[in-house]
């Protein structure tokens, strides 16, 4: 570890800290229906959308109607994207002449982009046409992120209101998330990416002559526009197979910094939006402190593990002073690679600028563990916020048990019904991850897809289902996922991680909204103090760590000890 490396990490977190408050307050105004600096331009467009679609922006929905609207929109999104993938060969804007995507891969990909996961069992530059990339994948990068934000706003209103029967209007929240937040941010970011050298063209490819005199075909396409929303919406699906390790997606250290910043900006700012909308800004800052502590710890742990190096490679004569550079780009090094790995998995982004499967045992464990914590650090756009709220409710419930008081959060009493919904939600991840991973580790045809035997092979399977159920999308890289088994099971895990989680959360929000919001009293347990932050961190670590530790002990932890002993598998 070096001072320069830590300075790079510090600059990123400082940038986020500087912008998190104004961006958070801006989004609070947007979703409260208040006027913003973009209103003169965008309000007529917004009203036009409502007139064309027959939406009454003043008509709100209860939790069930809101959830059903979201599910209906998701079904339509899946069907439309699946159709684009299956009929790609006869649709326009296919200069490469790519064939239709096979049914199982089309299912996996449609589910992946629908759920904001963006797991990719294909190489984008050799599989997807320009139309598929733009009208299919990029559009869903917007809509899946906006759906997450809309759901977070519905949950937020449950705590902001007293004795309420409605949580807002899904269609209005969806339009505003896209129109006022994602689209302006993406346009500006895409233009900056173009200035940094990212391609933005409808050409298929160019032919270049290498230094050896050979001819090389270099894939091109509308990269900058997809890269922008890929990061802003915490989607992570790259235009190219190697994602942000490709120089056309991430050419320089400066573009790398921008990549990380924009993927973190909105999700981090949403906790400030939450605090503003519920009338307690201190609660938003308490959530931000929780996120910061765990994220900084994750970055530091990966950075230390990768700079420590690999004794096996050292024994082969490699310079140990460089640490473990396997699977990393020289232009980024350990610090920027560690920062990217921790942020992309603390979020539910899934983009990578280094191969996580090439990290050391402990270096690879941390990204996997950050996903298993529930994708709340700060998680996906919107989905991280409502996941963090679930953990906060569990924390006040534990605090209430310890002091003998009825648990209360932001003036709302937390009772048995709410706890049942919260526990049901947090059980989804371990059931989907450990269940599918255990089955896959026993089936010969599933094990055949593993690239490396032994503990690392188990880590490949475990990471795959962790990433899918956590709606992350990153991979260890050694698992051959484009098979009927993995396309199907990973797709099911993604659906469970998104919808089986959010339905009980929305039921929880409906129950909370109907309660009377009581004023703060002398007996109220404060939830914005360092004590609560420590309790919340402990609950996140315990519920995440204890559920997955046995599986982690058989995979990356065993691999780390073997590496230190100089053993290979």
């Amino acid at each position: 570890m070096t001072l320069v490396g830590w300075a790079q990490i510090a600059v990123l977190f400082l940038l986020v800290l500087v912008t998190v408050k104004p961006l958070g307050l801006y989004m609070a105004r947007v979703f409260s229906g208040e006027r913003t600096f973009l209103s003169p331009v965008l309000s007529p467009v917004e009203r036009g959308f409502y007139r064309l679609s027959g939406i009454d922006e003043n008509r709100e929905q209860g939790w069930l109607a809101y959830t059903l609207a979201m599910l209906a929109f998701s079904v339509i999104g899946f069907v439309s994207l699946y159709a684009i993938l299956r009929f790609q060969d006869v649709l326009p804007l296919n200069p490469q002449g790519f064939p239709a995507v096979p049914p199982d891969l089309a299912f996996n990909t449609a589910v992946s982009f629908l759920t904001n996961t963006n797991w990719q069992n294909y190489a984008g530059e050799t599989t997807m046409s320009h139309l598929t990339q733009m009208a299919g994948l990029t559009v869903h990068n917007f809509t899946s992120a906006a759906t997450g934000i809309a759901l977070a706003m519905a949950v937020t209103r449950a705590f902001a209101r007293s004795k309420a029967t409605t949580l807002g209007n899904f269609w209005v929240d969806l339009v505003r998330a896209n129109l006022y937040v994602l689209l302006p941010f993406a346009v500006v970011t895409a233009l900056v990416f173009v200035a940094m050298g990212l391609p933005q063209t409808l050409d298929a490819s160019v032919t270049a002559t290498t230094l050896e005199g050979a001819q090389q075909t270099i894939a091109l396409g509308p990269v900058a526009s997809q890269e922008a929303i890929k990061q802003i919406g915490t989607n992570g699906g790259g235009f190219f197979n190697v994602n942000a390790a490709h120089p056309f997606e991430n050419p320089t250290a400066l573009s790398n910094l921008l990549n990380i910043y924009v993927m973190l900006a909105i999700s981090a700012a949403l906790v400030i939006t939450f605090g503003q909308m519920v009338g307690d800004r201190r609660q938003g800052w308490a959530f931000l402190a929780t996120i910061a502590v765990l994220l900084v710890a994750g970055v530091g742990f990966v950075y230390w593990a990768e700079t420590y190096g690999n004794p096996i490679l050292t024994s082969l004569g490699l310079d140990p002073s460089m640490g473990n550079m396997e699977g990393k780009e020289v232009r980024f090094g350990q610090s920027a690679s560690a920062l990217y790995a921790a942020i992309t998995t603390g979020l539910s982004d899934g983009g990578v600028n280094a191969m996580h499967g090439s990290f050391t045992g402990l270096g690879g464990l941390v990204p996997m563990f950050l996903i298993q914590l529930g994708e709340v650090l700060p998680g996906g756009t919107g989905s991280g916020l409502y996941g963090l709220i679930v953990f906060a409710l569990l924390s006040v419930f534990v605090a209430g048990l310890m002091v003998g008081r009825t648990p209360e959060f932001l003036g709302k009493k937390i009772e048995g019904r709410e706890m049942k919904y919260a526990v049901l939600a947090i059980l989804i991840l371990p059931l989907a991850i450990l269940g599918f991973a255990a089955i896959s580790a026993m089936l010969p045809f599933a094990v055949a897809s593993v690239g490396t035997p032994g503990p690392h092979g188990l880590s490949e399977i475990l990471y795959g289902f962790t990433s899918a159920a956590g709606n992350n999308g990153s991979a260890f890289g050694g698992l051959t996922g484009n098979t009927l088994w993995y396309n199907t099971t990973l797709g099911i895990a993604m659906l469970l991680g998104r919808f089986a989680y959010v339905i009980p959360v929305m039921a929880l929000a409906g129950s909370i909204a109907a309660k009377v919001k009581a004023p703060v009293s002398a007996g109220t347990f404060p939830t914005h103090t360092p004590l609560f932050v420590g309790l919340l961190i402990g609950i996140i670590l315990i519920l995440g760590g204890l559920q997955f530790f046995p599986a982690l002990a058989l995979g990356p932890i065993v691999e780390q000890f073997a590496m230190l002993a100089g053993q290979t598998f």
Side-chain angles (χ1 to χ4, degrees):
M1 293 190 287
T2 66
L3 183 61
V4 172
W6 278 112
Q8 292 174 339
I9 294 169
V11 166
L12 181 278
F13 284 111
L14 182 61
L15 283 173
V16 174
L17 184 61
V18 168
T19 59
V20 70
K21 181 177 178 180
L23 183 55
L25 297 181
Y26 166 76
M27 288 190 289
R29 294 183 65 86
V30 167
F31 293 105
S32 297
E34 300 175 14
R35 187 176 178 84
T36 70
F37 71 97
L38 290 176
S39 294
V41 176
L42 297 180
S43 287
V45 180
E46 180 187 2
R47 290 193 295 270
F49 277 125
Y50 298 151
R51 283 196 295 269
L52 287 173
S53 54
I55 296 171
D56 180 1
E57 63 178 304
N58 297 313
R59 182 179 180 181
E60 294 201 346
Q61 299 165 313
W63 79 266
L64 183 57
Y66 197 105
T67 305
L68 290 175
M70 179 273 297
L71 292 174
F73 179 74
S74 300
V75 169
I76 294 171
F78 169 80
V79 171
S80 63
L81 180 53
Y82 184 83
I84 291 174
L85 293 166
R86 293 292 292 128
F87 293 104
Q88 172 179 268
D89 56 331
V90 297
L91 292 173
L93 289 178
N94 186 6
Q96 309 93 328
F98 290 147
V101 179
D104 59 317
L105 180 58
F107 166 77
N108 181 278
T109 305
V111 167
S112 179
F113 281 79
L114 170 73
T115 58
N116 201 240
T117 307
N118 292 35
W119 174 276
Q120 294 174 286
N121 276 338
Y122 60 88
E125 65 268 43
T126 59
T127 308
M128 302 301 178
S129 71
H130 289 347
L131 181 72
T132 301
Q133 294 275 20
M134 293 187 297
L137 307 186
T138 302
V139 166
H140 276 76
N141 282 347
F142 279 96
T143 57
S144 64
T147 298
I149 295 174
L151 292 168
M153 292 303 99
V155 175
T156 298
R157 294 186 188 104
F159 290 94
R161 298 175 176 182
S162 182
K163 297 184 68 176
T165 58
T166 60
L167 297 173
N169 185 307
F170 171 75
W171 308 109
V172 172
D173 289 338
L174 184 74
V175 169
R176 287 176 178 168
N178 275 305
L179 196 59
Y180 288 90
V181 181
L182 297 175
L183 190 59
F185 204 171
V187 169
V188 173
T189 304
L191 292 173
V192 176
F193 276 147
V194 170
M196 289 181 169
L198 275 68
Q200 183 68 19
T201 176
L202 294 180
D203 289 340
S205 60
V206 295
T207 302
T209 302
T210 67
L211 294 176
E212 294 81 9
Q215 296 296 303
Q216 180 181 0
T217 300
I218 301 175
L220 295 175
V223 180
S225 57
Q226 182 166 328
E227 183 72 12
I229 189 58
K230 151 196 162 181
Q231 301 294 61
I232 292 167
T234 62
N235 297 283
F239 191 95
F240 298 99
N241 188 35
V242 294
N243 211 275
H246 197 291
F248 281 0
E249 285 199 30
N250 194 6
T252 67
L254 185 59
S255 69
N256 190 68
L257 179 66
L258 181 59
N259 265 271
I260 303 173
Y261 167 74
V262 296
M263 80 165 92
L264 188 56
I266 290 179
S267 288
L270 278 170
V271 300
I272 305 301
T273 302
F274 175 80
Q276 176 70 11
M277 291 182 68
V278 300
D280 188 351
R281 289 191 183 183
R282 296 173 299 176
Q283 190 63 60
W285 289 109
F287 280 166
L288 190 65
T290 302
I291 293 164
V293 168
L294 290 170
L295 263 189
V296 171
V299 172
F301 207 94
V302 178
Y303 188 22
W304 167 80
E306 297 308 298
T307 52
Y308 181 83
N310 188 335
I312 298 175
L313 298 179
T314 302
S315 67
L316 297 175
L318 296 182
D319 182 4
S321 65
M322 290 295 292
N324 178 35
M325 282 297 294
E326 180 190 353
K328 300 178 182 65
E329 294 297 302
V330 175
R331 67 186 186 275
F332 302 140
Q334 281 101 348
S335 63
S337 299
L339 179 62
Y340 204 116
I343 298 297
T344 198
T345 50
L347 290 156
S348 65
D349 185 85
V352 296
N353 73 348
M355 298 302 105
H356 294 179
S358 295
F359 285 12
T360 60
L362 291 182
L365 178 147
V366 173
M368 192 188 314
F369 185 64
L370 291 177
I371 302 172
Q372 291 168 346
L373 291 181
E375 293 284 71
V376 295
L377 305 176
T381 48
S383 61
L385 175 58
Y386 59 70
L388 191 60
I389 292 170
V390 169
F391 279 111
L393 297 183
L394 292 168
S395 299
V396 297
F397 180 74
V398 171
L401 291 177
M402 290 191 293
V403 299
R405 290 182 177 272
T406 301
E408 184 179 305
F409 184 65
L410 296 174
K412 298 295 184 84
K413 291 189 180 298
I414 310 303
E415 299 174 302
R417 174 182 293 183
E418 291 76 39
M419 279 299 96
K420 290 174 183 177
Y421 289 140
V423 171
L424 179 60
I426 66 168
L427 284 176
I428 297 302
L429 274 185
L431 287 173
I433 294 171
L434 298 176
F436 280 122
I439 295 170
S440 299
M442 293 187 295
L443 296 175
F445 59 83
V447 174
S449 292
V450 171
T452 308
H456 193 85
L458 176 61
S459 295
E460 291 175 6
I461 296 173
L462 184 62
Y463 194 107
F465 286 106
T466 295
S467 180
N471 296 144
N472 183 269
S474 62
F476 247 37
L479 183 70
T480 302
N482 191 14
T483 65
L484 179 60
W485 170 257
Y486 283 110
N487 278 330
T488 304
T489 54
L490 288 169
I492 294 172
M494 294 176 211
L495 290 171
L496 291 173
R498 179 75 160 189
F499 299 111
Y501 187 95
V502 79
I503 290 173
V505 169
M506 288 299 292
L508 169 64
S511 179
I512 290 290
K515 293 177 179 290
V516 176
K517 189 169 185 177
V520 176
S521 66
T524 301
F525 176 65
T527 57
H528 54 261
T529 62
L531 177 62
F532 178 76
V533 170
L535 177 62
L536 180 55
I537 290 173
I539 293 295
I540 293 172
L541 290 174
I542 290 170
L543 291 178
L546 291 184
Q547 294 174 109
F548 298 103
F549 183 78
L552 295 173
L554 296 173
I557 294 176
V558 169
E559 185 181 356
Q560 178 71 19
F561 283 121
M563 183 194 75
L564 294 176
Q567 297 178 3
T568 58
F569 293 93

